[in-house]
Amino acid sequence: MFELWGALIILIGCPLLGTLPLIAWITRALKGRQLAKVGTGNVSVSAAFYHGGRVVGILAVLSEALKGIVAVFIARAFFGEGSTWELVALIALVVGRYSIGRGAGTTNVVWGFLVHDPLVAGFTALLAATSFILLRSRKLVQYGVLILLPLFEVILHAEDVPRIMAVIALVSLLGWIYSQIPDDLSLPTQGAETGSQGMLEFWRGDQAILSLDSQLDAGVVGQKAATLSEIQRWGYSVPKGWVLASVNNPEAVLKFFQPSALSPLVVRSSAIGEDSEQASAAGQYETVLNVTNHEALQAAIAQVYSSYYHPTAVQYRRDRGSPEAAMAVLIQQQVQGVYSGVAFSRDPITQQSDIVVIEALPGSATQVVSGRVTPEQYRAFVTEAENSSIQLEGTGQVPPALVKQVAYLARSIEKRYHGIPQDIEWSYDGQNLWVLQARPITTLLPIWTRKIAAEVIPGVIHPLTWSINRPLTCGVWGDIFTIVLGERALGLDFTATATLHNSRAYFNASLLGDIFLRMGLPPESLEFLTRGAKLSRPPLKSTWENLPGLMRLLKRELRLDEDFKRDYYQLFVPGLSQLATEPIDQLQPVQILARIDLILELLHRGTYYSIFAPLSAALRQAIFRVKDKNLDNSITPEVAVLRSLNALAADTKQILPDLEPEIVFEQLAQTPAGEKILFDFSELLQDYGYLSEVGTDIAVPTWKEHPQYLKQLFVQLLQRDPQPAVTTPRQRFFWGKLQRLVQRRFDLKGRVTEVYSRLLGELRWSFIALEQILLESRLLQQTGDIFFLEIAEIRDIVTNNDEEFSYQLSNIVQLRRSQFLQDQEITQIPPLVYGNTPPHPLAPSALYSDQILQGIPASHGQAEGRIKVLRNLQNIPEIDRNTILVVPYTDSGWAPLLLRAGGLIAEAGGRLSHGAIVAREYGIPAVMDVRGATWLLQDGQRVRIDGTRGLIELSNDLRPE
């Protein structure tokens, strides 16, 4: 009898409990709104949040959670803990919620199930939360939970068939309810008092209206609406708005808007392809302001929609090569602007990276973008330091504080879009700063970065070097990306990964960022691996989708040692042996060309390792947090030769302590012991003669051709006090294993560098031998001409030597040599170039602080001294431990100077650059990536550098000591 009464109470009492309109009472009491008469007519938690706000929504959650818990405890009181009747009580509760309360009962079930079976509820909640983070879809997660609940019940309680059947009945009921009622979070308006029946009728029959509160697809609603939706979800102020994906049912649409003189609407275009990175379509489509009644709204929708087919708009799309697509219409609450305008997060003319350009006027933003009036113009100089600041240039009616706020807004949105310059339309109504529109500045795309390219191939680059390096580098990057992307990589142009501006190498940051995003990685992944840059939040959904490809890449990384060892013995050793024994000076041009092709074939495989090995080393170092000081770079050729030369110098000082620096080599030749030292020096030169000042540039002479670099270094080592042997501290146990995992990759990186540098040396010597033949045949006029030709042109020369061709060749070389010399005179190189035409070099920005400069910390320690600016290795002055060298970049050719200097400041480079490695090897503090340092700092200026924190403290004292 007791259980019979329990069953009756559950079957009758729980539905009645579900009908209690607690949410409606709370919303009406606190907000005065009747949920049954607004929106979808649902009396639900989502409706409470949407129409009542956060406080009302939280109270609604608590009230519905209490219902679910009470229902479970009623069943438990009669049938005991964990019985199937607890699930029956939840089913009865949900039936009551939906039949009268017009709610789905999701909150009731979630909390009731948590009390009924915490283990199953916990597993389900964990997977649901993870899925939402990855998929960002409420609907998929909502229906996914309906699958997970019975699945976990089967796994954990397979023997309890009634219980499993009850869970299946419960989730089936919820799934049916979800299909019957709409969600208030996608409603087109917040205050339309049109009744629930008409609203339901519309939402079941026409899904044409989407709210900016939802996650929108640019392929459906256009980039303008999708962008506004996105930045609103990021927390920026965007006027309330809705998108008409189609206008097939205008009468139904009009029911949901109540425009008036006090609350006007604005109707705007959001065409597919508008406001994209390829085309802005600025001013091509209509915008209608001050819509105050239904008739005006209907006319405005038609006007905006038809503007897509206006002849000028059609011609614009044809000119830009944009496909014909469709027009969505964006309807928003109109902002009554006190001040409005536009802001460019980067100066679109000068491309200066520290300037935000703002145009503004009192009133609405339309007059600013119309072009009919001249707005006030401001330039905001933004420093990107830790304590960022803004200095304004320009005055007018707009308050300076508001202009600064707009500058911060523009930079903030640009940062959200991974550094893509943004054109922001904004309006200030006296309280809020609203974003009306945000789109890329198409004239400033793509973005070319010098940051990494300055390390890979620094300096001014000859045409021959570039014609070889670019296809090698771009091709290998394409191969690596294709490992992850598979067939999705087919539409990407990897040849656009790099280019030259003013004969300097730049990487396509826009393309690389897009590729990394497609791979499910942060767009700045390359800078993170090569320079230790901060990472943005990874796109988890894309990461999940690309997981198979990323696992393929990981598999390649794990077997990198094995692959290199195989290729080393099967490809590189036989190839280098053949090249070393081949009498190059006895070969004919066709034979030399065949030799070059063999080297290029080996270089293609070598480039794969030269890119992958450093990235793998940096990735492991970042993951396992192994410090630079705990790693040994002695296998790297530049470090190995320094150590060998240092040991030879130490032996020399012991044997012949009275050598005079000016005539060291003459004195060595006069004694038997000295001859032995000269022989050892010659052996070193033979072993490392393939190295050069810039290892990746075959136009730069090698040490074998110009041994004075190595001789100078040897003399300087003889003048130094004995240096203690550099030892790498080893860690024990677990951390020692992690250190060894990283160290193995650094050792591999050193071996790869040796092979790659040897191949480049052989390639240079092959071209020099070919040039000598072409000089003798008068096809070339002077030494070095061959480096102003491209590899394809050299192939033509070998098979074509008529007089007319020779004359054309002479003109080509002369023009390129002239351009190269002009580019060589450009000393201020922008770290970023926006668009495909770099601006004319500008004077250094006056914004740099006269107190502190910030760079990348590259070698530990502090030093104080006076500046010596060196832009090249010509006319090297006296340098001592009181000298702080300031250079545009560093490579192995700078090593002799680093040995004497007290510290190093470089405009380009990172922690893994050659200069940083050598600086750490000899305990010299170094700061890299200090933009414009060779111009900001002056000879004789006293500074103190901190290589641990990357800081440079400046002094105004320019007097020589």
Side-chain angles (χ1 to χ4, degrees):
M1 182 63 72
F2 180 76
E3 292 182 350
L4 179 60
W5 278 106
L8 289 174
I9 290 174
I10 290 172
L11 296 176
I12 298 173
C14 286
L16 293 176
L17 179 63
T19 62
L20 283 178
L22 298 181
I23 295 176
W25 293 344
I26 292 170
T27 307
R28 182 133 188 206
L30 296 181
K31 291 294 182 178
R33 286 181 175 271
Q34 297 185 52
L35 292 181
K37 294 184 178 180
V38 297
T40 60
N42 298 339
V43 185
S44 63
V45 169
S46 61
F49 269 107
Y50 188 81
H51 298 290
R54 182 178 300 176
V55 174
V56 171
I58 292 173
L59 292 175
V61 169
L62 294 176
S63 69
E64 293 306 306
L66 182 62
K67 286 183 182 181
I69 294 171
V70 168
V72 171
F73 275 111
I74 290 174
R76 187 169 293 180
F78 290 96
F79 297 97
E81 185 176 350
S83 72
T84 304
W85 279 98
E86 292 180 4
L87 297 171
V88 175
L90 289 177
I91 293 173
L93 181 69
V94 170
V95 170
R97 275 287 285 127
Y98 175 69
S99 60
I100 298 178
R102 299 302 302 165
T106 304
T107 307
N108 308 130
V109 172
V110 168
W111 288 90
F113 214 98
L114 185 62
V115 175
H116 167 69
D117 193 335
L119 189 59
V120 170
F123 278 128
T124 304
L126 179 62
L127 280 179
T130 305
S131 301
F132 181 73
I133 291 173
L134 294 174
L135 302 175
R136 300 290 182 181
S137 171
R138 289 178 65 251
K139 184 166 289 186
L140 285 176
V141 173
Q142 190 178 45
Y143 283 97
V145 169
L146 302 184
I147 298 173
L148 291 174
L149 275 177
L151 178 62
F152 283 128
E153 282 289 343
V154 170
I155 293 173
L156 298 175
H157 307 288
E159 73 288 347
D160 195 341
V161 176
R163 179 173 179 165
I164 293 172
M165 296 303 296
V167 172
I168 294 174
L170 176 61
V171 298
S172 300
L173 175 63
L174 286 175
W176 179 79
I177 292 175
Y178 291 161
S179 69
Q180 298 301 307
I181 62 175
D183 188 348
D184 286 80
L185 294 180
S186 300
L187 277 175
T189 185
Q190 187 168 335
E193 306 278 343
T194 57
S196 60
Q197 186 59 38
M199 186 72 72
L200 281 170
E201 205 171 84
F202 172 77
W203 278 98
R204 290 173 184 169
D206 191 342
Q207 293 289 336
I209 297 183
L210 298 169
S211 170
L212 289 184
D213 296 334
S214 305
Q215 184 173 350
L216 302 179
D217 182 356
V220 176
V221 301
Q223 192 66 54
K224 180 186 292 181
T227 298
L228 288 175
S229 169
E230 185 171 47
I231 63 178
Q232 177 174 279
R233 294 197 308 278
W234 287 339
Y236 298 95
S237 297
V238 174
K240 195 71 178 175
W242 309 270
V243 187
L244 309 187
S246 70
V247 291
N248 296 330
N249 194 359
E251 293 79 11
V253 170
L254 295 177
K255 295 180 182 179
F256 306 104
F257 298 100
Q258 299 295 325
S260 67
L262 295 178
S263 182
L265 299 176
V266 56
V267 182
R268 312 171 67 192
S269 64
S270 186
I272 310 300
E274 181 184 6
D275 287 357
S276 66
E277 292 185 15
Q278 291 73 38
S280 67
Q284 296 300 316
Y285 308 120
E286 293 285 346
T287 295
V288 181
L289 300 171
N290 298 314
V291 176
T292 59
N293 55 61
H294 283 133
E295 292 75 15
L297 177 60
Q298 186 171 4
I301 292 172
Q303 182 180 343
V304 170
Y305 184 76
S306 63
S307 67
Y308 186 81
Y309 304 99
H310 193 276
T312 57
V314 173
Q315 187 62 48
Y316 172 85
R317 293 194 294 274
R318 289 175 181 171
D319 294 340
R320 299 289 298 178
S322 302
E324 293 296 314
M327 166 74 81
V329 177
L330 175 61
I331 301 175
Q332 289 180 277
Q333 293 176 349
Q334 184 168 318
V335 175
Q336 303 301 319
V338 179
Y339 300 103
S340 304
V342 294
F344 294 91
S345 63
R346 290 288 189 272
D347 190 327
I349 306 301
T350 66
Q351 300 185 11
Q352 285 179 262
S353 60
D354 56 351
I355 292 178
V356 176
V357 177
I358 299 167
E359 296 182 345
L361 277 176
S364 70
T366 306
Q367 57 182 336
V368 177
V369 299
S370 68
R372 298 182 181 180
V373 296
T374 302
E376 299 170 4
Q377 299 189 18
Y378 302 87
R379 287 160 62 87
F381 296 84
V382 183
T383 61
E384 301 289 353
E386 184 176 345
N387 297 317
S388 58
S389 62
I390 291 181
Q391 299 179 20
L392 288 182
E393 181 182 284
T395 57
Q397 300 180 60
V398 182
L402 177 60
V403 177
K404 289 185 178 182
Q405 189 178 353
V406 171
Y408 278 121
L409 172 70
R411 278 302 170 87
S412 175
I413 293 178
E414 180 192 89
K415 187 176 181 180
R416 283 281 191 172
Y417 283 107
H418 313 297
I420 295 175
Q422 296 291 309
D423 172 1
I424 311 295
E425 187 176 330
W426 57 273
S427 187
Y428 177 68
D429 63 1
Q431 292 183 329
N432 291 326
L433 178 59
W434 298 92
V435 179
L436 306 182
Q437 182 172 311
R439 63 187 176 196
I441 304 176
T442 54
T443 57
L444 298 186
L445 293 175
I447 303 173
W448 300 95
T449 178
R450 179 95 175 112
K451 291 181 179 179
I452 304 166
E455 296 181 41
V456 176
I457 181 167
V460 188
I461 301 171
H462 290 75
L464 178 56
T465 299
W466 189 243
S467 71
I468 292 171
N469 280 32
R470 185 189 185 196
L472 281 174
T473 303
C474 295
V476 169
W477 273 117
D479 294 342
I480 293 174
F481 293 143
T482 304
I483 293 172
V484 179
L485 296 174
E487 294 183 355
R488 289 174 297 151
L490 295 176
L492 294 170
D493 181 12
F494 294 115
T495 61
T497 304
T499 193
L500 290 182
H501 291 302
N502 297 323
S503 296
R504 272 86 172 181
Y506 285 81
F507 283 158
N508 191 333
S510 302
L511 177 60
L512 289 174
D514 178 53
I515 291 172
F516 280 115
L517 284 173
R518 291 191 187 197
M519 291 167 59
L521 300 173
E524 57 281 307
S525 295
L526 186 58
E527 285 199 43
F528 166 73
L529 293 175
T530 57
R531 302 161 57 82
K534 291 183 179 180
L535 284 178
S536 60
R537 183 179 179 181
L540 294 178
K541 181 180 178 181
S542 179
T543 304
W544 181 264
E545 293 172 349
N546 284 282
L547 196 56
L550 293 171
M551 294 305 295
R552 289 194 296 269
L553 189 63
L554 176 61
K555 186 177 179 181
R556 289 285 189 97
E557 193 277 338
L558 292 174
R559 72 181 194 209
L560 199 57
D561 268 310
E562 180 184 342
D563 288 347
F564 179 74
K565 184 177 181 180
R566 180 200 63 218
D567 288 342
Y568 183 78
Y569 289 107
Q570 294 182 6
L571 292 177
F572 298 131
V573 169
L576 285 168
S577 298
Q578 176 183 337
L579 294 170
T581 57
E582 200 170 39
I584 189 172
D585 55 346
Q586 300 177 19
L587 300 179
Q588 296 299 313
V590 175
Q591 294 173 308
I592 296 177
L593 197 59
R595 174 188 170 93
I596 289 171
D597 288 336
L598 170 62
I599 297 172
L600 291 178
E601 183 179 343
L602 293 172
L603 274 173
H604 183 271
R605 189 60 181 166
T607 302
Y608 167 78
Y609 292 111
S610 72
I611 289 176
F612 211 157
L615 293 182
S616 173
L619 179 63
R620 291 191 175 199
Q621 185 181 9
I623 291 174
F624 300 129
R625 299 185 178 276
V626 177
K627 296 180 179 179
D628 294 331
K629 66 181 181 180
N630 293 332
L631 293 170
D632 181 7
N633 291 284
S634 59
I635 294 182
T636 303
E638 293 89 347
V639 176
V641 68
L642 286 174
R643 288 189 172 181
S644 299
L645 206 59
N646 189 49
L648 183 60
D651 292 343
T652 303
K653 283 192 288 186
Q654 287 184 353
I655 299 171
L656 301 169
D658 298 324
L659 292 174
E660 298 180 28
E662 294 79 8
I663 54 172
V664 165
F665 286 90
E666 291 83 350
Q667 287 180 300
L668 290 174
Q670 296 172 5
T671 65
E675 289 181 356
K676 173 65 169 60
I677 292 169
L678 287 177
F679 177 80
D680 291 341
F681 179 86
S682 178
E683 287 289 308
L684 273 178
L685 187 60
Q686 182 69 25
D687 289 341
Y688 296 99
Y690 57 85
L691 294 174
S692 68
E693 177 189 341
V694 183
T696 52
D697 190 350
I698 61 171
V700 178
T702 61
W703 288 358
K704 176 181 177 181
E705 301 163 65
H706 294 280
Q708 62 268 28
Y709 289 123
L710 206 58
K711 288 182 177 180
Q712 183 185 9
L713 182 58
F714 180 65
V715 172
Q716 291 168 5
L717 288 170
L718 287 173
Q719 294 176 283
R720 288 184 56 151
D721 295 331
Q723 299 294 311
V726 178
T727 59
T728 301
R730 298 289 178 178
Q731 304 290 332
R732 294 182 179 180
F733 307 116
F734 178 70
W735 293 113
K737 292 181 179 179
L738 296 183
Q739 179 179 323
R740 288 191 291 274
L741 282 175
V742 179
Q743 184 61 57
R744 281 201 291 270
R745 278 296 180 266
F746 273 76
D747 292 344
L748 175 64
K749 175 176 174 282
R751 293 193 296 272
V752 169
T753 300
E754 179 187 0
V755 169
Y756 198 73
S757 299
R758 286 185 182 276
L759 288 170
L760 288 176
E762 293 289 351
L763 185 63
R764 171 178 167 79
W765 298 329
S766 300
F767 280 117
I768 290 175
L770 183 58
E771 182 184 54
Q772 187 59 40
I773 297 174
L774 297 178
L775 287 171
E776 292 173 0
S777 63
R778 297 183 180 273
L779 283 170
L780 297 179
Q781 305 303 314
Q782 58 178 304
T783 301
D785 277 358
I786 198 167
F787 296 107
F788 292 100
L789 298 173
E790 296 181 358
I791 181 67
E793 295 167 337
I794 292 174
R795 295 186 194 281
D796 289 341
I797 291 174
V798 174
T799 57
N800 185 349
N801 59 1
D802 59 76
E803 281 191 22
E804 183 178 353
F805 181 76
S806 176
Y807 177 75
Q808 294 174 355
L809 198 64
S810 177
N811 283 341
I812 290 172
V813 171
Q814 185 176 355
L815 287 172
R816 289 177 181 170
R817 185 185 288 273
S818 175
Q819 183 63 53
F820 181 85
L821 294 174
Q822 290 180 33
D823 292 341
Q824 206 170 30
E825 293 298 315
I826 300 174
T827 52
Q828 188 185 358
I829 309 302
L832 295 175
V833 169
Y834 296 93
N836 291 311
T837 305
H840 190 275
L842 300 172
S845 171
L847 251 194
Y848 283 96
S849 169
D850 61 354
Q851 298 299 320
I852 294 178
L853 297 178
Q854 175 74 57
I856 294 176
S859 183
H860 295 292
Q862 294 80 34
E864 188 172 350
R866 291 190 178 271
I867 291 294
K868 186 61 192 176
V869 178
L870 289 180
R871 297 187 178 91
N872 52 55
L873 289 173
Q874 308 295 324
N875 302 319
I876 299 174
E878 287 296 324
I879 294 172
D880 57 29
R881 284 295 178 180
N882 189 46
T883 303
I884 306 298
L885 280 180
V886 181
V887 299
Y889 60 88
T890 58
D891 211 298
S892 54
W894 297 88
L897 306 180
L898 301 185
L899 288 171
R900 288 185 285 166
L904 171 69
I905 300 170
E907 289 184 320
R911 293 184 299 114
L912 295 180
S913 64
H914 294 298
I917 292 173
V918 173
R920 289 196 295 270
E921 183 73 13
Y922 287 92
I924 301 169
V927 181
M928 320 297 281
D929 195 38
V930 183
R931 292 189 296 165
T934 59
W935 291 95
L936 292 169
L937 301 173
Q938 305 175 41
D939 285 350
Q941 186 174 9
R942 192 161 193 84
V943 300
R944 182 178 183 274
I945 71 171
D946 185 337
T948 304
R949 295 184 297 164
L951 295 177
I952 304 166
E953 300 177 36
L954 310 184
S955 168
N956 292 322
D957 179 12
L958 302 180
R959 297 169 300 171
E961 289 188 335

